[in-house]
Amino acid sequence: MPPINAVLFDLDGTLIDSIELILASYRHTLVAHGRQPLPDSEWMRGVGTPLRVQLAQCAESPQDLQALVETYRDYNLANHDRMITAYPGVVELVRTARSMGLRTGVVTSKNREGTSRGLRLVGLEYFIEVQVCADDVTHPKPHPEPVLQAMTRLGADPASTIFVGDSVHDLYSGRQAGVLTGAALWGPFRREELEPAAPDHWLGKVQDLRPLLGL
């Protein structure tokens, strides 16, 4: 295996622990619009896919979908800074990777405003070279387009790139893009939930990524 020169990360559930904020935002949105609640497990199945895809199942029209999205985003941003933290060891790892010359990117289904705010809050804004967000692609994860776009913008080679994510959508996207994939088991999903995506590397903790990156 050639040395890894570029590392791409998912955001929610991989770099930042935002899962409870995401779930609280969905719960609030349905209550605010007088809808029947959905179990958290239903929302969790879609973690890693865009907000509009998730909320479409509850929308009665395109206008209704837009209203749901706006309610979600208002609540999410209002509570963002008090509910978001970086996973232990993540900030140090990313900063070290950049200092060693590795290329870095985030590939997320979150919009650019939320992505930049999360990275800035945990101190990673200046250590992530490329952000590929929901706003930037036609076909979101699990389609390979987001990962392919990140590699293009970094000038990275698939054979020496790894995409680290916590959901099957991340891992399928990376696999279809031809890069190495790493399953972030410090996120909300268990190994058995990610096994269908057949990742190249199982990462039980953030530090398990260091030897792969030569850090």
Side-chain angles (χ1 to χ4, degrees), residues 9 15 94 98 104-106 119 124-131:
F9 298 94
L15 291 180
V94 175
R98 281 299 297 131
T104 57
V106 157
L119 291 174
L124 284 176
E125 184 179 25
Y126 297 108
F127 298 91
I128 296 294
E129 296 179 88
V130 164
Q131 299 175 31

Side-chain angles (χ1 to χ4, degrees), residues 17-153:
D17 186 356
S18 53
I19 300 303
E20 183 51 41
L21 172 61
I22 290 170
L23 294 175
S25 300
Y26 282 126
R27 295 184 205 117
H28 169 82
T29 298
L30 293 193
V31 169
H33 287 265
R35 308 298 162 84
Q36 289 295 315
L38 290 177
D40 288 348
S41 58
E42 183 69 24
W43 299 121
M44 288 300 296
R45 275 195 288 273
V47 166
T49 61
L51 175 61
R52 287 182 178 276
V53 173
Q54 285 267 63
L55 287 173
Q57 63 185 308
C58 304
E60 299 170 355
S61 67
Q63 295 77 15
D64 186 44
L65 175 58
Q66 182 60 33
L68 293 172
V69 167
E70 290 175 2
T71 298
Y72 177 102
R73 286 180 174 160
D74 287 346
Y75 180 91
N76 190 277
L77 290 174
N79 293 277
H80 181 278
D81 291 3
R82 72 177 181 84
M83 295 184 71
I84 293 291
T85 58
Y87 285 103
V90 157
V91 174
E92 294 80 6
L93 181 139
V94 175
R95 290 181 174 181
T96 300
R98 281 299 297 131
S99 71
M100 298 291 288
L102 273 74
R103 311 304 302 274
T104 57
V106 157
V107 179
T108 177
S109 293
K110 181 173 277 186
N111 68 3
R112 182 164 296 278
E113 180 185 7
T115 298
S116 296
R117 184 167 177 170
L119 291 174
R120 185 166 56 250
L121 179 68
V122 300
L124 284 176
E125 184 179 25
Y126 297 108
F127 298 91
I128 296 294
E129 296 179 88
V130 164
Q131 299 175 31
V132 177
C133 308
D135 322 61
D136 301 316
V137 299
T138 303
H139 306 290
K141 297 180 288 185
H143 194 279
E145 181 187 341
V147 176
L148 292 171
Q149 184 181 138
M151 284 194 296
T152 297
R153 291 168 60 184

